[in-house]
């Protein structure tokens, strides 16, 4: 089997950890990891090479590109929604300029290698922007082209980068004598909030669900920053990692678009609390809504229509709400905090 070389940007983040752990257990893959923050020793040992660097540093990216032939780029580095709202210009630089740099790297790599380079991009339900709770309730499960008027810097960045990816794939340098069309194979999933049993999120707005679980497992009280009736889609981290891998390995001919919703389960915050309390009956969880973060969540859909992903590349989550808690989240956090 031929060995594939894979670049993961934002490798030190939640999804990066999941992806690196996956690849460490499979032959035929060399992972080159890149993050602003140095990876811990255990994660680093699972990679072929790891670099501490900035996706905004073009000289660094050039040297990386000179030193490796990448078959696939998983471009995960980003500032998430709450952090992006607090530092909008930095978020724009990292989320948009950073993605542009990685798309340019994919073009260069494709030229040098004379083959297609895949760029796998996780977008977000933050690309949606429903005007109010009434519209959200009425909309139900939204499909890819509905309600794409985001109200956050992060959502706007993600929506724009989806379109940039599409441009690089289909129309890049379309006026050149020999256009580059088809050399970058851009594939994107729009993720719901992800919940990991082994890492905690920082800087997102869907963070209330993982925070509630991890605080309960640590035996610490948690003031949840949303109303009890708040409902957005979530997914267990193994399904998130699996979605990226499955989309990456799909036959291009089967893909009717570049951008796919992926869904899993969609509990209200009250249902999340109930399920966490079932696992940790002495947990202390109160609802103390932060009205500004709440408004962001109220603009995200209650659920997504992922029928296109199911049809084109066989997407199907392994974990529903109950299975995610029973078989992955609760055992995972118990193990995590017992070992600390
Ligand atoms: P994360 O915040 O855990 O990780 C992001 C990583 O990017 C961090 O390790 C950070 O150090 C790195 N980074 C930030 N700026 C950088 C820069 N300039 N150069 C190099 N590295 C930089 O996020 P995550 O949960 O792992 O998410 C990964 C991707 O998936 C992001 O693009 C995010 O928008 C997307 N996504 C995540 C979720 C979720 O719920 N976790 C949902 C939807 C989409
Ligand atoms: C966030 O809350 O910003 C992320 C996301 C849903 O994209 N977790």
């Amino acid at each position: 089997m031929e060995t594939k070389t894979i670049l993961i940007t934002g490798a030190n983040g939640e999804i990066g950890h999941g992806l690196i752990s996956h690849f460490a257990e499979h032959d035929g893959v060399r992972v080159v990891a890149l993050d602003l923050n140095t990876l811990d020793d255990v994660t680093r040992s699972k990679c072929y090479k790891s670099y501490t660097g900035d996706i905004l540093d073009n000289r660094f990216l050039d040297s990386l590109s000179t030193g490796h032939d990448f078959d696939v780029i998983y471009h995960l580095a980003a500032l998430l929604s709450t952090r992006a709202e607090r530092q909008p210009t930095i978020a724009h630089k990292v989320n948009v300029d950073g993605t542009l740099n990685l798309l340019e790297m994919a073009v260069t790599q494709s030229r040098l290698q004379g083959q297609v380079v895949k760029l796998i991009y996780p977008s977000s339900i933050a690309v949606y922007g429903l005007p109010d709770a009434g519209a959200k309730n009425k909309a139900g499960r939204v499909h890819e082209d509905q309600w794409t008027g985001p109200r956050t810097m992060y959502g706007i960045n993600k929506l724009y980068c989806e379109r940039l990816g599409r441009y690089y794939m289909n129309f890049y340098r379309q006026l050149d004598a020999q256009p580059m069309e088809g050399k970058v194979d851009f594939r994107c999933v729009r993720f719901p909030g992800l919940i990991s049993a082994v890492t905690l999120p920082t800087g997102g707005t869907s963070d209330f669900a993982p925070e509630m679980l991890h605080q309960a497992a640590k035996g610490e009280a948690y003031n949840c920053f949303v109303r009890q009736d708040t409902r957005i889609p979530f997914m267990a981290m193994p399904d998130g990692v699996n979605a990226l891998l499955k989309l990456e390995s799909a036959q291009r001919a089967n893909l009717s678009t570049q951008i796919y919703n992926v869904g899993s389960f969609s509990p209200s915050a009250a249902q999340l609390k109930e399920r966490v309390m079932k696992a940790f009956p002495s947990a202390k969880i109160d609802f103390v809504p932060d009205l500004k973060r709440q408004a962001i969540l109220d603009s995200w859909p209650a659920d997504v229509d992922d029928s296109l992903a199911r049809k084109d590349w066989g997407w199907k989550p392994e974990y529903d709400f109950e299975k995610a808690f029973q078989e992955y989240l609760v055992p995972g956090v118990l193990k995590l905090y017992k070992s600390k």
Side-chain angles (χ1 to χ4, degrees):
M1 199 208 314
E2 219 176 286
T3 302
K4 278 205 285 194
T5 304
I6 288 180
L7 172 64
I8 303 179
T9 75
N12 199 38
E14 288 204 280
I15 302 180
H17 276 94
L19 263 184
I20 290 171
S21 296
H22 167 88
F23 287 129
E25 287 165 14
H26 291 79
D27 292 335
V29 176
R30 269 194 297 247
V31 170
V32 176
L34 150 62
D35 202 289
L36 211 45
N37 298 311
T38 305
L39 267 62
D40 61 79
D41 290 346
V42 175
T43 312
R44 221 172 35 220
S45 70
K46 296 176 182 167
C47 301
Y48 169 66
K49 291 263 180 208
S50 76
Y51 296 90
T52 304
D54 189 339
I55 56 164
L56 297 176
D57 180 348
N58 283 310
R59 280 177 61 185
F60 164 67
L61 291 183
D62 285 349
S63 76
L64 194 65
S65 194
T66 308
H68 301 279
D69 285 345
F70 298 120
D71 299 280
V72 185
I73 299 171
Y74 286 87
H75 173 41
L76 310 180
L79 299 196
L80 277 66
S81 54
T82 292
R83 177 136 182 241
E85 222 45 49
R86 295 196 169 124
Q87 295 176 297
T89 52
I90 297 177
H92 193 279
K93 283 198 181 88
V94 174
N95 295 350
V96 175
D97 297 349
T99 301
L100 188 71
N101 288 346
L102 266 300
L103 284 161
E104 281 291 326
M105 182 199 268
V107 168
T108 307
Q109 284 272 320
S110 161
R111 263 203 201 113
L112 293 174
Q113 297 181 49
Q115 65 162 6
V116 172
V117 171
K118 289 182 196 164
L119 193 144
I120 312 299
Y121 181 70
S123 184
S124 163
I125 50 162
V127 300
Y128 296 110
L130 289 121
D132 51 47
K136 172 167 169 155
N137 290 338
K138 219 164 131 197
R141 304 172 77 220
V142 299
H143 68 68
E144 283 82 354
D145 296 328
Q146 290 177 303
W147 301 105
T148 48
R151 61 178 278 159
T152 61
M153 175 54 93
Y154 173 71
I156 291 164
N157 296 163
K158 287 286 182 191
L159 189 61
Y160 175 67
C161 288
E162 290 179 359
R163 287 172 188 186
L164 259 188
R166 218 184 245 166
Y167 165 78
Y168 269 76
M169 177 154 165
N170 297 324
F171 305 112
Y172 182 68
R173 301 198 68 106
Q174 57 193 296
L175 299 182
D176 285 7
Q178 287 179 325
M180 275 287 294
E181 190 255 314
K183 300 292 195 237
V184 175
D185 184 348
F186 178 79
R187 303 175 179 205
C188 162
V189 286
R190 280 187 191 156
F191 274 136
L194 296 170
I195 315 180
S196 168
V198 291
T199 53
L200 261 167
T202 45
T205 314
S206 64
D207 294 5
F208 64 93
E211 283 174 0
M212 194 188 281
L213 170 71
H214 282 255
Q215 292 295 98
K218 284 192 274 186
E220 288 173 16
Y222 182 59
N223 283 342
C224 181
F225 60 83
V226 305
R227 286 190 319 265
Q228 301 199 38
D229 67 334
T230 307
R231 189 185 296 276
I232 60 161
F234 284 101
M235 181 178 288
M237 186 57 84
D239 273 333
V241 169
N242 202 25
L244 293 175
L245 297 167
K246 214 165 159 48
L247 180 59
E248 189 275 314
S249 64
Q251 292 292 324
R252 180 77 247 174
N254 293 338
L255 303 182
S256 59
T257 180
Q258 279 88 47
I259 291 127
Y260 290 94
N261 278 343
V262 283
S264 192
F265 47 86
S266 189
S268 67
Q271 287 169 321
L272 280 164
K273 174 179 172 181
E274 195 186 328
R275 187 58 189 85
V276 170
M277 298 288 300
K278 186 174 155 196
F280 301 98
S282 55
K284 176 138 179 41
I285 300 165
D286 291 314
F287 290 95
V288 185
D290 170 334
L291 297 184
K292 292 177 180 161
R293 290 178 95 186
Q294 180 73 55
I296 292 175
L297 290 157
D298 287 344
S299 77
W300 293 356
D303 205 352
V304 290
D305 179 340
D306 61 1
S307 47
L308 212 48
R310 289 176 186 256
K311 179 167 148 283
D312 285 4
W313 46 278
W315 162 246
K316 192 170 182 294
E318 189 185 332
Y319 294 94
D320 61 17
F321 182 54
E322 185 48 37
K323 188 174 173 191
F325 271 85
Q326 191 169 331
E327 294 183 18
Y328 167 65
L329 293 170
V330 174
V333 291
L334 282 172
K335 190 168 159 213
L336 180 70
Y337 295 111
K338 208 165 100 187
S339 64
K340 287 200 169 161

